[in-house]
């Protein structure tokens, strides 16, 4: 592990000097609520995974379940205000039985019959996974098609790329590969692998799982070190562009790469955590100071990326 030094961003500094200073309270719902994020993203022409259905009340469960039973593709169930992978369920396919019942085949919970699946959805509506603990909505989203290099590393799920964006400038990045342990979700505290990405080259240079350094993906044994993230420029530009959706100056932007659609905004976080520093073996303070002291105002997103690549080392 790397030594504690003054470059490390601490939780106190993160809250008092970044979140409280640069993140506008009124805009929190835009990033905390995935349905609102999706709506805003559309008005800003920011590409996102396709949302197939919203379910807002228990009364809507029956008719919407009928639609879901007939989908012949995979999909993902999400609590709109969920966080850290809680409540996310990946449905690989729906099949029908002889007595015309439906079975939902999921990555994490195995096969669920329609009553079990309805019960699961009902739990989300009741707020079981909601950030604030109150009633929630359900988002049914297309399942991202994994690109080949990523599928070979983590066949259990889609990795997402977390970029810390300060005042519109990308300053640090990591990719989170799902594991069997994390149930196909790229959330570090569930046991996903986090790999630091060199901003300039887009290559992985260090990886962790459960806060310990590792070299290979634990499920597949694939080497992570040196892997170049496909479409890296697009990913950085999308992160810088997505930050324009809300007035959240210190932001975590999560991006996925779809085999057919390229880089897409998955979600945003107004209180991004600190473990990106472990994945990168590097503190955030240096990059934060560089942006706060030197970054020029009024650049467009492409120029902000260019500036970061030249100035954040
Ligand atoms: N549309 C999708 N297709 C495939 N996997 C997904 C999809 N959406 C989310 N996931 C997986 O679930 C994880 C968590 O999803 P996310 O939308 O970031 O929710 P949370 O706020 O709970 O972290 C992602 O890291 C990814 O691995
Ligand atoms: Mg997430």
């Amino acid at each position: 592990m790397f030594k504690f030094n003054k470059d490390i961003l601490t939780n106190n500094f993160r809250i008092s000097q970044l979140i409280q200073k640069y993140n506008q309270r009124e805009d929190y719902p835009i990033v905390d609520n995935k349905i609102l994020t999706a709506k805003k993203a559309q008005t800003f022409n920011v590409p996102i995974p396709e949302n197939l259905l919203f379910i807002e009340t228990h009364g809507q469960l029956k008719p919407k379940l009928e639609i879901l039973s007939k989908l012949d593709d995979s999909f993902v169930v999400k609590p709109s205000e969920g966080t850290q992978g809680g409540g996310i369920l990946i449905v690989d396919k729906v099949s029908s039985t002889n007595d015309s019942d439906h079975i939902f085949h999921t990555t994490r919970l195995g096969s669920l019959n329609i009553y079990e699946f309805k019960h699961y959805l009902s739990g989300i509506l009741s707020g079981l996974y909601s950030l604030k603990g109150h009633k929630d909505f359900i988002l049914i989203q297309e399942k991202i098609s994994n690109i080949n290099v990523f599928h070979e590393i983590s066949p259990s799920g889609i990795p997402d790329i977390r970029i810390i964006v300060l005042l519109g400038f990308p300053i640090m990045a990591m990719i989170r590969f799902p594991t069997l342990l994390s149930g196909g979700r790229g959330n570090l505290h569930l046991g996903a692998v986090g790999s630091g990405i060199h901003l300039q080259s887009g290559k992985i240079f260090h990886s962790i799982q459960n806060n310990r350094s590792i070299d290979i993906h634990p499920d597949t044994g694939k080497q992570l070190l040196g892997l170049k993230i496909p479409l890296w420029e697009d990913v950085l530009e999308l992160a810088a562009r997505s930050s324009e959706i809300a007035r959240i100056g210190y932001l975590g932007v999560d991006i996925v790469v779809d085999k057919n659609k390229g880089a897409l905004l998955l979600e945003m976080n107004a209180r991004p955590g600190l473990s990106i520093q472990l994945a990168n073996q590097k503190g955030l303070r240096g990059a934060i100071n560089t942006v706060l002291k030197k970054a020029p105002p009024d650049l467009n997103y492409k120029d902000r990326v260019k500036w970061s690549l030249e100035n954040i080392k």
Side-chain angles (χ1 to χ4, degrees):
M1 278 290 128
F2 63 131
K3 285 196 216 92
F4 188 84
N5 63 35
K6 62 180 178 4
D7 201 34
I8 307 291
L9 175 63
T10 60
N11 202 30
N12 275 347
F13 190 94
R14 177 182 82 112
I15 295 169
S16 64
Q17 300 303 311
L18 297 171
I19 295 176
Q20 289 179 354
K21 235 178 177 163
Y22 297 107
N23 294 359
Q24 301 293 324
R25 286 242 138 233
E26 312 90 85
D27 279 12
Y28 273 41
I30 299 172
V31 298
D32 284 347
N33 182 307
K34 292 183 170 66
I35 295 179
L36 285 184
T37 310
K39 286 189 178 143
K40 267 276 178 185
Q42 272 160 344
T43 59
F44 278 75
N45 265 331
V46 166
I48 55 172
E50 190 185 345
N51 291 318
L52 307 170
L53 268 185
F54 298 129
I55 309 176
E56 301 182 1
T57 62
H58 285 89
Q60 289 174 355
L61 274 178
K62 197 163 178 268
K64 302 253 169 151
L65 259 171
E66 267 170 37
I67 303 175
L68 286 179
S69 308
K70 293 187 186 107
L71 282 184
D72 57 2
D73 217 347
S74 48
F75 60 89
V76 177
V77 176
K78 293 187 179 189
S80 178
E81 294 198 351
T83 171
Q84 302 196 319
I88 302 244
L89 193 62
I90 296 160
V91 178
D92 294 312
K93 71 172 194 260
V94 186
S95 61
S96 24
T97 60
N98 289 342
D99 41 6
S100 66
D101 231 349
H102 292 284
I103 305 289
F104 296 80
H105 301 268
T106 75
T107 306
R108 193 159 55 82
L109 303 176
S111 304
L112 304 180
N113 66 32
I114 198 148
Y115 303 103
E116 292 164 328
F117 190 60
K118 190 174 175 198
H119 182 73
Y120 186 87
L121 297 181
S122 170
I124 298 182
L125 288 176
S126 308
L128 212 54
Y129 308 101
S130 159
L131 195 60
K132 298 181 196 114
H134 57 51
K135 282 189 194 322
D136 203 356
F137 293 162
I138 298 168
L139 182 59
I140 306 288
Q141 194 168 76
E142 67 165 332
K143 186 176 156 197
I144 297 299
S145 303
N146 217 354
I147 51 177
N148 294 345
V149 263
F150 290 165
H151 182 75
E152 280 170 17
I153 294 172
S154 63
S156 62
I158 305 296
D160 65 9
I161 303 163
R162 157 66 55 95
I163 318 263
I164 300 287
V165 181
L166 179 62
L167 305 179
F169 294 86
I171 59 171
M172 198 176 267
M174 74 170 157
I175 182 164
R176 296 174 294 198
F177 291 102
T179 58
L180 292 172
L181 189 64
S182 73
R185 297 161 291 178
N187 299 85
L188 292 189
H189 79 117
L190 300 176
V193 169
S195 302
I197 306 171
H198 184 238
L199 268 193
Q200 282 73 16
S201 67
K203 287 186 180 168
I204 291 178
F205 64 89
H206 180 258
S207 303
I208 54 165
Q209 186 191 28
N210 294 326
N211 296 339
R212 290 217 183 92
S213 296
I214 53 166
D215 292 327
I216 54 170
H217 191 284
D219 299 343
T220 56
K222 291 277 175 198
Q223 178 66 245
L224 299 165
L225 188 71
L227 178 86
K228 173 148 168 91
I229 307 300
L231 303 179
W232 182 235
E233 284 265 310
D234 290 2
V235 170
L236 285 176
E237 288 188 356
L238 181 59
R241 219 173 120 198
S242 301
S243 72
E244 295 168 9
I245 291 178
R247 291 167 303 160
I248 303 291
Y250 178 65
L251 179 70
V253 181
D254 295 346
I255 288 171
V256 285
V257 182
D258 182 88
K259 202 174 191 168
N260 308 308
K261 298 180 177 177
L264 304 173
L265 170 66
L266 185 65
E267 66 156 341
M268 300 203 284
N269 197 308
R271 312 162 197 80
L274 299 168
S275 44
I276 192 166
Q277 299 180 113
L278 288 178
N280 276 270
Q281 293 285 282
K282 193 174 184 315
L284 272 160
R285 287 286 287 274
I288 290 169
N289 285 339
T290 306
V291 169
L292 295 183
K293 285 192 183 133
K294 293 207 251 159
D298 305 326
L299 295 184
N300 64 34
Y301 69 88
K302 282 183 188 261
D303 288 339
R304 292 200 300 275
V305 170
K306 240 190 237 161
W307 188 91
S308 284
L309 294 179
E310 280 161 16
N311 291 276
I312 308 289
K313 298 292 175 204

